[in-house]
Amino acid sequence: MTEARGSAGQNGATHARHTPGTPCWVSLMVHGMATTQDFYGSLFGWEFEPGPHQLGQYVRALLDGHEVAGIGQLPPDRHLPIAWTPYLASDDVDLTAETVRLSGGTVGVGPLDAAEAGRMAIASDPTGAVFGIWQASAHLGIGITGVPGTPAWNELVTRDTESVVKFYQGVFGYALEPAAASDFDYVTLHLDTRPVAGIHGVGHDLPRDRGPHWMTYFETADVDDTVARVTDLGGHLLKAPHDSPYGRVAKVADPEGALFSVIHSVR
């Protein structure tokens, strides 16, 4: 984009259980747990609690006592791209994982239990973009939206929407809303008439070192101020703040290179 299309919830709203296919969690695997927590804690005001322990060295980020994201430790010998990964809700992660395989995707991790918190898998679509699948038990996912420091939107950045949109529609049952402008390759994914995520085809502008990937947008009260703090904290500006129909937005990276966007949404 990449322009976000707004938050999935109302200000301060908490969620009891997410409709299958809804982005319900975002997680980041890094090499430097302490420095990453310092960065996001300073940037968004997050505090951290450990667990679930079945996921190894893993912490949940809290904002005003509500869970908003997770950060885990990569093994020292794993040199994987550092990236935010959205998790899509499922009532049956084993069935969803099998549907992913039958639809041309790949399941790289799981399905596996995360103790009493729930059951999960990590998969990739046919173009290689990685996403998670989450079947909630005690842990119901993101507990607050629409306020600064919370995930506001998730968007798949890919070469073209046609190559992958049928995969996500088949696995999660999304209704599709193509962009009105013929020169803007964008499809919004809907559940129960509600927009929940987007797919943006960028053609040759797709970064060669990244390939197709999911982008998480985080809400902020002031995009320009947040960008300045990102760079002060050791991160990087990738696309300068600019106005869009959905709010002021910028693309940045944290000190380990994880891409994310910040947005002040139009309400």
Side-chain angles (χ1 to χ4, degrees):
M1 201 170 173
T2 297
E3 322 297 2
R5 296 188 47 114
S7 141
Q10 297 177 343
N11 287 0
T14 57
H15 303 279
R17 187 171 291 274
H18 295 268
T19 302
T22 306
C24 62
W25 190 243
V26 290
S27 190
L28 178 65
M29 301 298 291
V30 299
H31 293 291
M33 284 284 286
T35 55
T36 299
Q37 289 178 67
D38 287 344
F39 173 83
Y40 287 102
S42 298
L43 185 66
F44 292 136
W46 291 351
E47 299 178 337
F48 300 92
E49 288 187 354
H53 300 295
Q54 284 71 16
L55 301 181
Q57 191 174 347
Y58 190 88
V59 297
R60 291 162 292 128
L62 307 179
L63 185 66
D64 296 329
H66 300 282
E67 296 180 344
V68 293
I71 299 173
Q73 175 74 57
L74 277 172
D77 59 345
R78 297 293 296 274
H79 300 288
L80 301 173
I82 308 300
W84 280 102
T85 300
Y87 281 71
L88 307 177
S90 172
D91 285 340
D92 186 335
V93 69
D94 295 79
L95 178 59
T96 302
E98 183 61 21
T99 305
V100 165
R101 294 188 187 97
L102 293 174
S103 303
T106 302
V107 178
V109 177
L112 55 86
D113 289 325
E116 70 282 354
R119 190 163 171 79
M120 60 159 285
I122 298 177
S124 58
D125 67 30
T127 70
V130 176
F131 62 94
I133 308 165
W134 183 257
Q135 179 181 340
S137 181
H139 168 65
L140 297 173
I142 297 168
I144 185 172
T145 61
V147 298
T150 63
W153 186 248
N154 288 281
E155 179 177 282
L156 174 63
V157 183
T158 189
R159 290 182 180 85
D160 63 89
T161 59
E162 185 178 359
S163 64
V164 75
V165 69
K166 290 182 180 179
F167 167 82
Y168 287 98
Q169 185 181 34
V171 174
F172 295 105
Y174 298 121
L176 309 179
E177 181 192 355
S182 60
D183 60 346
F184 185 46
D185 188 11
Y186 199 96
V187 174
T188 304
L189 306 178
H190 288 252
L191 289 170
D192 302 326
T193 72
R194 181 172 59 94
V196 296
I199 300 178
H200 185 206
V202 299
H204 296 299
D205 291 334
L206 186 70
R208 295 191 176 204
D209 60 338
R210 289 278 172 177
H213 60 277
W214 280 90
M215 170 74 71
T216 296
Y217 288 72
F218 290 96
E219 188 69 36
T220 182
D222 187 318
V223 168
D224 297 76
D225 178 66
T226 300
V227 165
R229 286 190 287 127
V230 165
T231 56
D232 288 344
L233 293 166
H236 307 281
L237 173 63
L238 302 178
K239 188 172 184 179
H242 60 284
D243 294 323
S244 81
Y246 314 108
R248 192 158 176 80
V249 64
K251 183 166 73 172
V252 296
D254 70 18
E256 285 205 27
L259 307 180
F260 62 99
S261 291
V262 291
I263 185 169
H264 179 64
S265 301
V266 174
R267 302 285 176 199

